[in-house]
Amino acid sequence: MLNLEVNIGGLRLKNPVMTASGTYGFGKEYSEYYDLSQLGAVVVKGLTLKPREGNKAPRIAETPAGMLNSVGLQNPGVEAFLEHELPFLRKYNTPVIANIAGNTVEEYCQMAEKLGSQVDAIELNISCPNVKEGGVAFGTKCDSVYNITKNVKQFCKVPLIVKLSPNVTDIVEIALSAEEAGADSLSLINTLLGMAIDINSRKPILANVVGGLSGPAVKPVAVRMVYQVAKAVNIPIIGMGGISSWQDAVEFILAGADAVAVGTYNFVNPAAPIEIIEGIKKYMDKNCYKNLSDFKGKIQAC
Amino acid sequence: MLNLEVNIGGLRLKNPVMTASGTYGFGKEYSEYYDLSQLGAVVVKGLTLKPREGNKAPRIAETPAGMLNSVGLQNPGVEAFLEHELPFLRKYNTPVIANIAGNTVEEYCQMAEKLGSQVDAIELNISCPNVKEGGVAFGTKCDSVYNITKNVKQFCKVPLIVKLSPNVTDIVEIALSAEEAGADSLSLINTLLGMAIDINSRKPILANVVGGLSGPAVKPVAVRMVYQVAKAVNIPIIGMGGISSWQDAVEFILAGADAVAVGTYNFVNPAAPIEIIEGIKKYMDKNCYKNLSDFKGKIQAC
Amino acid sequence: MKNEICELIYNREIAKSTFEMAFRSENMAAAALPGQFVHLKVNEGLYPLLRRPISIHRIDKSSGVVAIIYHIMGQGTEELSKKQSGYIDVMGPLGNGFPIIEGKKCAVVGGGIGTAPLLEVAKNLSDCDAYLGFRNCTYKVEEFEKSCNKVYVTTEDGSVGYKGYITEQLEKYISEYDIVYTCGPKVMMKKVVDICASNNVECYISIEERMGCGIGACLVCACKIKEENGDWHYKKACKDGPVFNAKEVLFDA
Amino acid sequence: MKNEICELIYNREIAKSTFEMAFRSENMAAAALPGQFVHLKVNEGLYPLLRRPISIHRIDKSSGVVAIIYHIMGQGTEELSKKQSGYIDVMGPLGNGFPIIEGKKCAVVGGGIGTAPLLEVAKNLSDCDAYLGFRNCTYKVEEFEKSCNKVYVTTEDGSVGYKGYITEQLEKYISEYDIVYTCGPKVMMKKVVDICASNNVECYISIEERMGCGIGACLVCACKIKEENGDWHYKKACKDGPVFNAKEVLFDA
Ligand SMILES: Cc1cc2nc3c(=O)[nH]c(=O)nc-3n(C[C@H](O)[C@H](O)[C@H](O)COP(=O)(O)OP(=O)(O)OC[C@H]3O[C@@H](n4cnc5c(N)ncnc54)[C@H](O)[C@@H]3O)c2cc1C
Ligand SMILES: Cc1cc2nc3c(=O)[nH]c(=O)nc-3n(C[C@H](O)[C@H](O)[C@H](O)COP(=O)(O)OP(=O)(O)OC[C@H]3O[C@@H](n4cnc5c(N)ncnc54)[C@H](O)[C@@H]3O)c2cc1C
Ligand SMILES: Cc1cc2nc3c(=O)[nH]c(=O)nc-3n(C[C@H](O)[C@H](O)[C@H](O)COP(=O)(O)O)c2cc1C
Ligand SMILES: Cc1cc2nc3c(=O)[nH]c(=O)nc-3n(C[C@H](O)[C@H](O)[C@H](O)COP(=O)(O)O)c2cc1C
Ligand code: FES
Ligand code: FES
């Protein structure tokens, strides 16, 4: 019997495949394509304390094997989420993870408090490249990562996942700061900061000038970071960045990820997360693995 | 009359298109495909004080729209370069730029001294992700960037270009440190640190485990960094990272690059640098630009 | 709903760099409304990565065939044009479509490739005129002639129909209409919206925003929509649109 | 030298997942030596990005045609196999090729797809036997029969020829030969090299390393080559090789 279960810092998932924040709305759209109960977990669009309109359009640019986005955390706010969006997701038998972003440490704490135990875990987004006020600023210095994690943890009634930015010199020291401050799990990577220019109009394609790079193009960077962080920390890791197939998911698990998230590729193949779950099963079957731990992190570095 | 000339911190180029270090050997191979005198400049393979064998094979992995390499600075050493490789390049009417890497600041200085004014400029490689001893370690902290630049500058008889690593939290502060220390020009970006795993053999594809990501996949990151740095510094910038067409080259120039370098794409299309020079000419002609400065950095940020 | 791997029926150039493609899908043909779009994977593999949104041009419910018209703009549409046979991965029909309001005197006003989604609108209206503006080469005019009372055609160079812009024709007869449906370049649509506003004619426009998911999950396709109270907020072109009442749309973005 | 856009003549499956492709190039056919390779762009666009190195299988100087045989391993070769007609972007001929030494009794020893480059070697030698090892399906055996004295074939499942590994056959007759040329999986080549060494037979092997530029500029294709004094250093499989004297090669990498 195959067992795909995994424990993410206290959150039990029936399988390791979740959806990445911001690429999956609040689940409604993709629920028309398959039964959300099949998913390991749903991570919802990044929430802020108050509703946000986000940035001006254009908010997307395609790049080689990737895309830039500058949505800028458009969302209805944490209260509207609880009232109007969460009930729908609760109809499904899958954990819901709230991704939160704030302008101040206090805002993050308030949000954690408001969410209480109505969600199954909280993902701390300290790595959004698309908002001026906060986001990424919290995620690039060890002491501020430590500080925000430590503070939010006090208000957090559910497992706390800290989502790391790849736009740093040393991902390992950032990861260690989050772990030390009490993070139950880490997710990585958020988007790389990038830019594209339309040479005909001579304007940046994104109205916001810069945006976050995601998709297959970033996969080698993400796999490297997961590998480095997995060797250094003792908490579970949710790996993401460019996953488009079960082979990619297995690559992240071999690198040391306990679970994976599918982001950009949902746009290309709405059924991607489900096909990835099936693919992982076949891979395990073929290799006679019974549990994810039979191959998680098990690469033979030469 | 179109004028493609550009002055890179004292080094005059007939056009802004050069070849990126490590992708072009010492020019011999590509000289069979076209006349090297057409190039803006040739940047040779990274040199070290003593000959180096480099890392074990496999040293290359293909990734979505990119590649990883872990050559590890295989080179004959600076003396053999001067004796056996430079004379060939000197037959062409194009400047030669030596890319140098060392284990210590002293080594860098010694190399600059040995090269003297036999080359037309020196590119300081403090961003090679593939050598354990030094390379990237020099390039990720402001004080060490300042220190090494300042020291090498004293021994450097030709324009000094500092090549920056993209694997940093804040590229602008690194760039400013190099400028302050006396760099005549900056080149960016070197490769992003990445990794790929073969899920069948369960081994990293590169024998060295991690390697440097280059090619079109990294272009958005490179364009963003060039844009940010160009706004902050007053020295010329050589932009590179994923350039595969004249459109890409123009994108970098619009972002603020004074010149560009073609790396990985030489492997795909040996004539790429020449086709890019032609394309830039046509673009200028079509837009009635007479000089590169007519469009360099001239984007209209919304 | 699902994305469907549809059999390609044809894919041919109908004007310079402009292609018509038809594929078979009983489900999509049965469900599709005028003004909805499909989201296409132009080839296999990761380059280009994202799907491309293209409006539905023709719906043949009896034979289960859907047709689109597209212009080659870049890599994605270029790849699409290379497809000769086989299958194509389609999500759709997506978006809201044009509201078909009967018993009114209507006009469809299209510019260039923006004429494509208007054919089904015209077919579904009993009293409709068409205003079709092109740069130089025209296409599908005869199809509109079959479904419309009058068809006005303009080209910028005057090679077919009137010389000039289609809005110049619309301006002449605007007072005849109750409702205008429009799709085309932003400048043209702005002009159409102005003409309708000045003449108190109801106007529906189909908006083009760059898209990611195409179904409302990623929020990249934001367009500014006015509220009753004068405020505005971002709505999703893919799911709340692409068709909006012209009164609601803020064009500044 | 230049990369050439060559007309595709055919591209057909000759065994399961194994294709033969021929293209026209007067220049390459005129210049090519047995054991050299071509570096192919498998499609247009950026995915896959890099070229793929494939050995030259057949050179027809009179008609200016070059043929290759390749096995589908991943994305690159998969894309290549889809090409039905048109043109293909080829760099070549590249590398050094096998030294053709006359007046000796020779054997070519190939495993699987590694048999492909050996045909031209056999054709250029007057006294040559062939040892061809396959997993289950064989190909091009009749071509070798035309140019060789004796042809030994093995398959792992015994479906054609002897059952087992080709090295078992070579071992029986090794004492007859002066020179052995080999290409195939690393394990097989190691075994061939050992057999030759034990029997004092000169042996040339064609090495497979992952490649970037294919012409000596990027240094990714490093293989360890022994020096006279016992030292070793990295040489380039693409330019110094792919063929080396077996004595020089250090297999540890
Ligand atoms: C709802 C909707 C319906 C559409 N219907 C049609 C149609 O029926 N026929 C048709 O030919 N085109 C239609 N388009 C536009 C079409 O989607 C774009 O032309 C196409 O995506 C360009 O892709 P590309 O890869 O060829 O070009 P790219 O290389 O991506 O871009 C080339 C140019 O196209 C513009 N562009 C790119 N994406 C979009 C986009 N999503 N919206 C607007 N402009 C874009 C860019 O500004 C750029 O200048 C529609 C767009 C939307 C949103
Ligand atoms: C000089 C030379 C001559 C060759 N001649 C032939 C030939 O005649 N026929 C033929 O079928 N193949 C030949 N190969 C191997 C061929 O280049 C690879 O099979 C091909 O590049 C794989 O590309 P892919 O995209 O299909 O697979 P990928 O997805 O890139 O890889 C699939 C598998 O192939 C292996 N692989 C990838 N690239 C190489 C490489 N350069 N060398 C060795 N293994 C690789 C990987 O380990 C991986 O397991 C030759 C290689 C070299 C270096
Ligand atoms: C359109 C878009 C919106 C995103 N919004 C968020 C967000 O609100 N919060 C967050 O933590 N990450 C956000 N991300 C980042 C993704 O969750 C993910 O970390 C990243 O895209 C890498 O994964 P991928 O390559 O599979 O997309 C967003 C990504 C995209 C493409
Ligand atoms: C195979 C390879 C070897 C490289 N070697 C060097 C080197 O020796 N010194 C250096 O400064 N950069 C080196 N680089 C980095 C390139 O010069 C360039 O900065 C980078 O590849 C980004 O450009 P590209 O995407 O056009 O390749 C190397 C890159 C590749 C692909
Ligand atoms: S395209 Fe994703 S929400 Fe509209
Ligand atoms: S492949 Fe570039 S040196 Fe051999």
Short mmCIF file of all heavy atoms in Angstrom, two decimals, chain D residues 101-141:
data_model
loop_
_atom_site.label_atom_id
_atom_site.label_comp_id
_atom_site.label_asym_id
_atom_site.label_seq_id
_atom_site.Cartn_x
_atom_site.Cartn_y
_atom_site.Cartn_z
N ILE D 101 43.50 3.14 -39.94
CA ILE D 101 44.86 2.64 -40.10
C ILE D 101 44.80 1.41 -41.00
O ILE D 101 44.17 0.40 -40.66
CB ILE D 101 45.48 2.31 -38.73
CG1 ILE D 101 45.46 3.59 -37.87
CG2 ILE D 101 46.90 1.80 -38.89
CD1 ILE D 101 45.70 3.36 -36.41
N GLU D 102 45.42 1.49 -42.13
CA GLU D 102 45.29 0.41 -43.13
C GLU D 102 46.30 -0.72 -42.90
O GLU D 102 47.24 -0.60 -42.12
CB GLU D 102 45.44 1.00 -44.55
CG GLU D 102 44.12 1.44 -45.16
CD GLU D 102 43.06 0.32 -45.18
OE1 GLU D 102 43.43 -0.86 -45.06
OE2 GLU D 102 41.86 0.65 -45.30
N GLY D 103 46.03 -1.83 -43.57
CA GLY D 103 46.95 -2.97 -43.52
C GLY D 103 46.91 -3.73 -42.21
O GLY D 103 47.83 -4.47 -41.88
N LYS D 104 45.87 -3.49 -41.44
CA LYS D 104 45.75 -4.18 -40.16
C LYS D 104 44.45 -4.97 -40.15
O LYS D 104 43.52 -4.68 -40.91
CB LYS D 104 45.70 -3.16 -39.01
CG LYS D 104 46.87 -2.21 -38.97
CD LYS D 104 48.03 -2.80 -38.19
CE LYS D 104 49.18 -1.80 -38.16
NZ LYS D 104 50.32 -2.29 -37.39
N LYS D 105 44.39 -5.93 -39.26
CA LYS D 105 43.14 -6.67 -39.08
C LYS D 105 42.33 -5.95 -37.99
O LYS D 105 42.80 -5.79 -36.86
CB LYS D 105 43.48 -8.10 -38.65
CG LYS D 105 42.30 -8.97 -38.34
CD LYS D 105 42.02 -10.02 -39.43
CE LYS D 105 40.75 -10.81 -39.13
NZ LYS D 105 39.64 -10.51 -40.02
N CYS D 106 41.16 -5.50 -38.36
CA CYS D 106 40.40 -4.62 -37.46
C CYS D 106 39.05 -5.22 -37.07
O CYS D 106 38.49 -6.05 -37.78
CB CYS D 106 40.11 -3.28 -38.13
SG CYS D 106 41.59 -2.42 -38.65
N ALA D 107 38.53 -4.73 -35.94
CA ALA D 107 37.16 -5.03 -35.55
C ALA D 107 36.48 -3.75 -35.08
O ALA D 107 37.11 -2.93 -34.41
CB ALA D 107 37.13 -6.07 -34.44
N VAL D 108 35.22 -3.59 -35.46
CA VAL D 108 34.41 -2.52 -34.84
C VAL D 108 33.48 -3.19 -33.86
O VAL D 108 32.89 -4.23 -34.15
CB VAL D 108 33.62 -1.69 -35.89
CG1 VAL D 108 34.57 -0.92 -36.79
CG2 VAL D 108 32.68 -2.55 -36.70
N VAL D 109 33.38 -2.62 -32.66
CA VAL D 109 32.55 -3.22 -31.61
C VAL D 109 31.58 -2.16 -31.10
O VAL D 109 31.98 -1.17 -30.49
CB VAL D 109 33.43 -3.71 -30.44
CG1 VAL D 109 32.56 -4.44 -29.41
CG2 VAL D 109 34.56 -4.60 -30.93
N GLY D 110 30.31 -2.38 -31.41
CA GLY D 110 29.33 -1.36 -31.05
C GLY D 110 28.22 -1.91 -30.17
O GLY D 110 27.84 -3.08 -30.29
N GLY D 111 27.71 -1.05 -29.32
CA GLY D 111 26.58 -1.43 -28.48
C GLY D 111 25.42 -0.49 -28.73
O GLY D 111 25.57 0.73 -28.60
N GLY D 112 24.27 -1.02 -29.11
CA GLY D 112 23.07 -0.22 -29.30
C GLY D 112 23.30 0.90 -30.31
O GLY D 112 23.83 0.69 -31.39
N ILE D 113 22.92 2.09 -29.91
CA ILE D 113 23.04 3.25 -30.79
C ILE D 113 24.52 3.52 -31.11
O ILE D 113 24.83 4.18 -32.11
CB ILE D 113 22.35 4.46 -30.11
CG1 ILE D 113 21.92 5.48 -31.14
CG2 ILE D 113 23.21 5.08 -29.04
CD1 ILE D 113 20.70 5.08 -31.91
N GLY D 114 25.40 2.97 -30.30
CA GLY D 114 26.84 3.13 -30.52
C GLY D 114 27.34 2.41 -31.76
O GLY D 114 28.48 2.60 -32.19
N THR D 115 26.48 1.59 -32.37
CA THR D 115 26.88 0.95 -33.63
C THR D 115 26.89 1.96 -34.77
O THR D 115 27.62 1.80 -35.75
CB THR D 115 25.90 -0.19 -34.00
OG1 THR D 115 24.56 0.35 -34.03
CG2 THR D 115 25.97 -1.33 -32.99
N ALA D 116 26.08 3.02 -34.62
CA ALA D 116 25.88 3.97 -35.73
C ALA D 116 27.17 4.55 -36.31
O ALA D 116 27.38 4.47 -37.52
CB ALA D 116 24.92 5.08 -35.29
N PRO D 117 28.05 5.11 -35.48
CA PRO D 117 29.24 5.73 -36.07
C PRO D 117 30.24 4.73 -36.63
O PRO D 117 31.18 5.13 -37.32
CB PRO D 117 29.85 6.49 -34.88
CG PRO D 117 29.32 5.83 -33.66
CD PRO D 117 27.96 5.32 -34.02
N LEU D 118 30.06 3.44 -36.35
CA LEU D 118 31.06 2.45 -36.76
C LEU D 118 30.91 2.00 -38.20
O LEU D 118 31.85 1.44 -38.78
CB LEU D 118 31.00 1.24 -35.81
CG LEU D 118 31.31 1.58 -34.34
CD1 LEU D 118 31.08 0.36 -33.46
CD2 LEU D 118 32.75 2.07 -34.20
N LEU D 119 29.75 2.27 -38.79
CA LEU D 119 29.56 1.81 -40.17
C LEU D 119 30.57 2.45 -41.11
O LEU D 119 31.18 1.77 -41.93
CB LEU D 119 28.12 2.11 -40.63
CG LEU D 119 27.82 1.68 -42.07
CD1 LEU D 119 27.90 0.17 -42.23
CD2 LEU D 119 26.46 2.19 -42.53
N GLU D 120 30.75 3.77 -40.97
CA GLU D 120 31.69 4.45 -41.86
C GLU D 120 33.12 4.00 -41.60
O GLU D 120 33.96 4.01 -42.50
CB GLU D 120 31.59 5.97 -41.70
CG GLU D 120 30.43 6.61 -42.45
CD GLU D 120 30.53 6.45 -43.97
OE1 GLU D 120 31.65 6.47 -44.51
OE2 GLU D 120 29.47 6.30 -44.60
N VAL D 121 33.42 3.60 -40.36
CA VAL D 121 34.75 3.07 -40.06
C VAL D 121 34.94 1.78 -40.84
O VAL D 121 35.93 1.60 -41.57
CB VAL D 121 34.90 2.81 -38.54
CG1 VAL D 121 36.29 2.25 -38.23
CG2 VAL D 121 34.66 4.09 -37.75
N ALA D 122 33.95 0.89 -40.71
CA ALA D 122 34.03 -0.40 -41.40
C ALA D 122 34.15 -0.22 -42.91
O ALA D 122 34.95 -0.88 -43.57
CB ALA D 122 32.80 -1.23 -41.06
N LYS D 123 33.37 0.72 -43.44
CA LYS D 123 33.40 0.95 -44.89
C LYS D 123 34.77 1.40 -45.37
O LYS D 123 35.16 1.15 -46.49
CB LYS D 123 32.36 2.02 -45.27
CG LYS D 123 30.93 1.48 -45.25
CD LYS D 123 30.02 2.17 -46.25
CE LYS D 123 29.68 3.59 -45.90
NZ LYS D 123 28.57 4.16 -46.65
N ASN D 124 35.50 2.09 -44.47
CA ASN D 124 36.79 2.63 -44.86
C ASN D 124 37.97 1.71 -44.58
O ASN D 124 39.11 2.08 -44.83
CB ASN D 124 37.02 3.98 -44.18
CG ASN D 124 36.28 5.10 -44.90
OD1 ASN D 124 36.78 5.68 -45.85
ND2 ASN D 124 35.04 5.35 -44.49
N LEU D 125 37.68 0.54 -44.04
CA LEU D 125 38.74 -0.42 -43.74
C LEU D 125 38.62 -1.61 -44.70
O LEU D 125 37.51 -2.04 -45.00
CB LEU D 125 38.61 -0.90 -42.30
CG LEU D 125 38.95 0.12 -41.21
CD1 LEU D 125 38.47 -0.37 -39.85
CD2 LEU D 125 40.46 0.42 -41.19
N SER D 126 39.74 -2.14 -45.13
CA SER D 126 39.64 -3.25 -46.09
C SER D 126 39.48 -4.60 -45.39
O SER D 126 38.96 -5.54 -45.96
CB SER D 126 40.86 -3.27 -47.02
OG SER D 126 42.02 -3.10 -46.25
N ASP D 127 39.93 -4.67 -44.12
CA ASP D 127 39.84 -5.96 -43.45
C ASP D 127 39.24 -5.80 -42.06
O ASP D 127 39.95 -5.58 -41.08
CB ASP D 127 41.26 -6.57 -43.37
CG ASP D 127 41.22 -8.00 -42.82
OD1 ASP D 127 40.12 -8.53 -42.61
OD2 ASP D 127 42.31 -8.56 -42.62
N CYS D 128 37.95 -5.90 -42.02
CA CYS D 128 37.27 -5.55 -40.76
C CYS D 128 36.13 -6.51 -40.44
O CYS D 128 35.37 -6.91 -41.33
CB CYS D 128 36.72 -4.13 -40.90
SG CYS D 128 35.91 -3.50 -39.44
N ASP D 129 36.01 -6.90 -39.20
CA ASP D 129 34.85 -7.64 -38.71
C ASP D 129 34.00 -6.70 -37.84
O ASP D 129 34.51 -5.70 -37.35
CB ASP D 129 35.27 -8.83 -37.84
CG ASP D 129 36.03 -9.88 -38.65
OD1 ASP D 129 35.97 -9.82 -39.89
OD2 ASP D 129 36.70 -10.72 -38.02
N ALA D 130 32.74 -7.07 -37.68
CA ALA D 130 31.87 -6.22 -36.85
C ALA D 130 31.25 -7.03 -35.71
O ALA D 130 30.81 -8.17 -35.93
CB ALA D 130 30.77 -5.58 -37.70
N TYR D 131 31.23 -6.44 -34.54
CA TYR D 131 30.57 -7.01 -33.36
C TYR D 131 29.48 -6.03 -32.94
O TYR D 131 29.79 -4.92 -32.52
CB TYR D 131 31.57 -7.21 -32.22
CG TYR D 131 32.61 -8.26 -32.52
CD1 TYR D 131 33.69 -7.98 -33.34
CD2 TYR D 131 32.48 -9.55 -31.98
CE1 TYR D 131 34.63 -8.96 -33.63
CE2 TYR D 131 33.41 -10.53 -32.27
CZ TYR D 131 34.49 -10.24 -33.10
OH TYR D 131 35.41 -11.19 -33.39
N LEU D 132 28.24 -6.46 -33.10
CA LEU D 132 27.13 -5.53 -32.86
C LEU D 132 26.23 -6.06 -31.75
O LEU D 132 25.60 -7.12 -31.91
CB LEU D 132 26.33 -5.34 -34.15
CG LEU D 132 27.16 -5.00 -35.40
CD1 LEU D 132 26.27 -5.01 -36.65
CD2 LEU D 132 27.87 -3.66 -35.26
N GLY D 133 26.17 -5.35 -30.67
CA GLY D 133 25.33 -5.79 -29.55
C GLY D 133 24.09 -4.93 -29.42
O GLY D 133 24.16 -3.71 -29.50
N PHE D 134 22.95 -5.60 -29.24
CA PHE D 134 21.70 -4.86 -29.09
C PHE D 134 20.95 -5.39 -27.88
O PHE D 134 21.23 -6.48 -27.39
CB PHE D 134 20.82 -5.02 -30.34
CG PHE D 134 21.44 -4.46 -31.59
CD1 PHE D 134 22.19 -5.27 -32.44
CD2 PHE D 134 21.28 -3.12 -31.91
CE1 PHE D 134 22.77 -4.75 -33.58
CE2 PHE D 134 21.86 -2.59 -33.07
CZ PHE D 134 22.61 -3.41 -33.90
N ARG D 135 19.98 -4.63 -27.42
CA ARG D 135 19.13 -5.11 -26.33
C ARG D 135 18.16 -6.16 -26.89
O ARG D 135 18.26 -7.31 -26.56
CB ARG D 135 18.37 -3.95 -25.69
CG ARG D 135 17.58 -4.38 -24.46
CD ARG D 135 17.39 -3.22 -23.50
NE ARG D 135 18.65 -2.77 -22.93
CZ ARG D 135 18.81 -1.64 -22.24
NH1 ARG D 135 17.79 -0.85 -22.05
NH2 ARG D 135 19.98 -1.32 -21.75
N ASN D 136 17.28 -5.75 -27.80
CA ASN D 136 16.39 -6.73 -28.41
C ASN D 136 16.21 -6.55 -29.91
O ASN D 136 16.34 -7.49 -30.67
CB ASN D 136 15.04 -6.80 -27.70
CG ASN D 136 14.58 -5.42 -27.24
OD1 ASN D 136 14.53 -4.50 -28.04
ND2 ASN D 136 14.27 -5.29 -25.96
N CYS D 137 15.99 -5.28 -30.37
CA CYS D 137 15.84 -5.16 -31.81
C CYS D 137 17.14 -4.67 -32.45
O CYS D 137 17.83 -3.82 -31.91
CB CYS D 137 14.65 -4.27 -32.19
SG CYS D 137 14.52 -2.78 -31.22
N THR D 138 17.43 -5.23 -33.60
CA THR D 138 18.67 -4.91 -34.30
C THR D 138 18.36 -3.99 -35.48
O THR D 138 17.22 -3.92 -35.94
CB THR D 138 19.31 -6.19 -34.85
OG1 THR D 138 18.41 -6.76 -35.81
CG2 THR D 138 19.57 -7.19 -33.73
N TYR D 139 19.36 -3.29 -35.95
CA TYR D 139 19.19 -2.48 -37.16
C TYR D 139 20.53 -2.31 -37.87
O TYR D 139 21.58 -2.38 -37.24
CB TYR D 139 18.58 -1.10 -36.85
CG TYR D 139 19.09 -0.45 -35.58
CD1 TYR D 139 20.24 0.32 -35.59
CD2 TYR D 139 18.42 -0.63 -34.37
CE1 TYR D 139 20.71 0.90 -34.43
CE2 TYR D 139 18.88 -0.05 -33.20
CZ TYR D 139 20.03 0.71 -33.24
OH TYR D 139 20.51 1.28 -32.09
N LYS D 140 20.44 -2.12 -39.16
CA LYS D 140 21.59 -1.82 -40.00
C LYS D 140 22.62 -2.96 -40.05
O LYS D 140 23.76 -2.76 -40.50
CB LYS D 140 22.30 -0.54 -39.51
CG LYS D 140 21.40 0.68 -39.60
CD LYS D 140 21.19 1.08 -41.04
CE LYS D 140 20.08 2.10 -41.13
NZ LYS D 140 19.82 2.50 -42.52
N VAL D 141 22.24 -4.14 -39.61
CA VAL D 141 23.18 -5.27 -39.64
C VAL D 141 23.58 -5.57 -41.09
O VAL D 141 24.75 -5.80 -41.39
CB VAL D 141 22.55 -6.52 -38.98
CG1 VAL D 141 23.45 -7.74 -39.17
CG2 VAL D 141 22.30 -6.25 -37.50
#
